[in-house]
């Protein structure tokens, strides 16, 4: 990526660039092609693991760009397929398992599931579910307890330095670095003329607010995000179409709005 980058795009995956149900991005092809044509860069930013994102990034042909993995816990360098091993996930699981049973039992994380179970709840293939199980930093899971216990669960995790963030599908636990943290570092490194962030879930809000332009992509499978600062002046917009179709229209509209094509 050149230092005179016209546009640096940060995008969530599930429910945003990828269809919530099929995990496909075909409807966003015109916008992806337009971004290539103007010399922009696309940084995938997701709760997905390094193996998952490396595969998607290669299929999209954006593997020359870095990617933000596991909700901002790490950066996958360009043209890399794996992250160095750390003890973050082991420490997180140990802290999780140390909680009292009434708080621990209602949370079922990927580390508590078989690959087959992960495939079933996500709709991923067995191979993709195995990649999703290769955690380095964070633990996605499903909370089945009451809202009151959920609050106590999150508070107990805070005592261990662990934060819980709501994504498009799961409650994800990590040691606190966010997509916006990594976004700031990459923006400083590449000094683009413009930045754009697209997402659909609560864990995307900080990223949307940190970008010069933000797009909330419609996702009929979840409650819409609340009104955000900047929507009243058009700095943050919302799509009508969901997933990659909405992503496609929003990106093409911004390219035209900024006269980049």
């Amino acid at each position: 990526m050149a230092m005179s980058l016209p546009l640096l795009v940060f995008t969530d995956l599930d429910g945003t660039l990828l269809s919530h149900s099929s995990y496909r991005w075909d409807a966003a092809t015109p916008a992806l092609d337009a971004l290539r044509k103007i010399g922009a860069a696309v940084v995938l930013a997701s709760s997905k693991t390094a193996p998952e994102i490396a595969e998607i990034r290669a299929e999209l042909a954006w593997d020359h760009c870095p990617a933000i993995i596991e909700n901002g816990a790490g950066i996958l360098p360009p043209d890399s397929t794996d992250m160095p091993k750390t003890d973050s996930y082991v420490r997180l699981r140990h802290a999780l398992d140390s909680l009292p049973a009434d708080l621990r039992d209602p949370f079922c994380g990927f580390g508590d599931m078989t690959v087959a179970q992960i495939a079933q709840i996500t709709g991923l293939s067995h191979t993709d579910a195995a990649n999703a199980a290769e955690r380095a930093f964070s633990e996605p899971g499903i909370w089945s307890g009451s809202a009151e216990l959920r609050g106590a669960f999150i508070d107990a995790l805070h005592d261990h330095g662990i934060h819980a963030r709501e994504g498009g599908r799961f409650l994800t636990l990590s040691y606190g670095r966010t997509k916006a943290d990594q976004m700031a570092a990459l923006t400083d490194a590449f000094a683009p003329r413009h930045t754009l962030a697209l997402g659909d879930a609560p864990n995307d809000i900080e990223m949307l607010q940190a970008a010069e332009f933000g797009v909330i992509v419609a996702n009929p499978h979840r409650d819409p995000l609340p009104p955000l600062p900047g929507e009243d002046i058009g700095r943050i917009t919302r799509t009508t179409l969901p997933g990659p179709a909405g992503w496609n229209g929003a990106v093409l509209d911004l390219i035209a709005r900024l006269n980049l094509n």
Side-chain angles (χ1 to χ4, degrees):
M1 291 185 293
M3 296 303 287
S4 59
L5 205 65
L7 178 63
L8 182 56
V9 179
F10 296 88
T11 179
D12 178 50
L13 289 176
D14 292 358
T16 300
L17 178 55
L18 304 184
S19 164
H20 180 92
S21 54
S22 70
Y23 295 101
R24 295 298 306 169
W25 59 84
D26 306 71
T29 299
L32 289 166
D33 289 344
L35 289 169
R36 267 185 262 276
K37 184 176 180 180
I38 67 170
V42 174
V43 174
L44 308 183
S46 170
S47 60
K48 292 183 181 296
T49 63
E52 288 180 283
I53 288 188
E55 183 173 333
I56 294 168
R57 186 174 66 174
E59 291 176 359
L60 287 165
W62 288 99
D63 39 2
H64 58 290
C65 298
I68 299 170
I69 67 168
E70 295 195 40
N71 254 358
I75 290 282
L76 182 66
D79 302 310
S80 177
T81 59
D82 224 338
M83 286 292 296
K85 296 298 182 184
T86 75
D87 68 347
S88 294
Y89 183 69
V90 173
R91 288 190 293 113
L92 189 154
R93 286 287 305 182
H94 179 75
L96 179 62
D97 290 339
S98 73
L99 298 182
D102 63 327
L103 299 181
R104 174 66 179 91
D105 291 348
F107 181 80
C108 185
F110 278 24
D112 303 311
M113 305 178 196
T114 65
V115 170
Q117 288 172 325
I118 294 173
Q120 183 177 21
I121 65 167
T122 60
L124 295 169
S125 69
H126 185 87
T127 298
D128 290 342
N131 284 338
E134 291 291 321
R135 316 304 303 179
F137 303 101
S138 62
E139 179 74 325
I142 296 173
W143 178 259
S144 59
S146 68
E148 181 180 4
L149 271 180
R150 184 180 184 274
F153 172 73
I154 291 172
D155 288 342
L157 289 171
H158 278 167
D159 292 340
H160 292 274
I162 296 170
H163 299 258
R165 303 182 68 80
E166 192 72 48
R169 297 171 184 267
F170 303 108
L171 184 68
T172 300
L173 315 180
S174 74
Y175 280 104
R177 286 188 69 83
T178 69
K179 294 179 182 181
D181 293 331
Q182 303 291 8
M183 173 185 171
L186 291 173
T187 300
D188 286 346
F190 295 110
R193 296 204 299 273
H194 304 285
T195 59
L196 167 66
L198 303 99
D200 72 304
N203 65 353
D204 298 317
I205 289 176
E206 291 166 329
M207 187 172 72
L208 294 170
Q209 292 178 322
E212 181 183 2
F213 301 98
V215 175
I216 300 169
V217 177
N219 185 343
H221 299 277
R222 60 164 298 111
D223 292 336
L225 293 181
L228 300 182
E231 285 193 68
D232 55 336
I233 59 172
R235 189 183 69 78
I236 293 179
T237 59
R238 293 177 185 253
T239 71
T240 302
L241 295 174
W247 194 99
N248 184 72
V251 170
L252 290 176
D253 285 350
L254 185 66
I255 289 173
R257 178 177 167 188
L258 296 176
N259 294 313
L260 295 177
N261 48 4

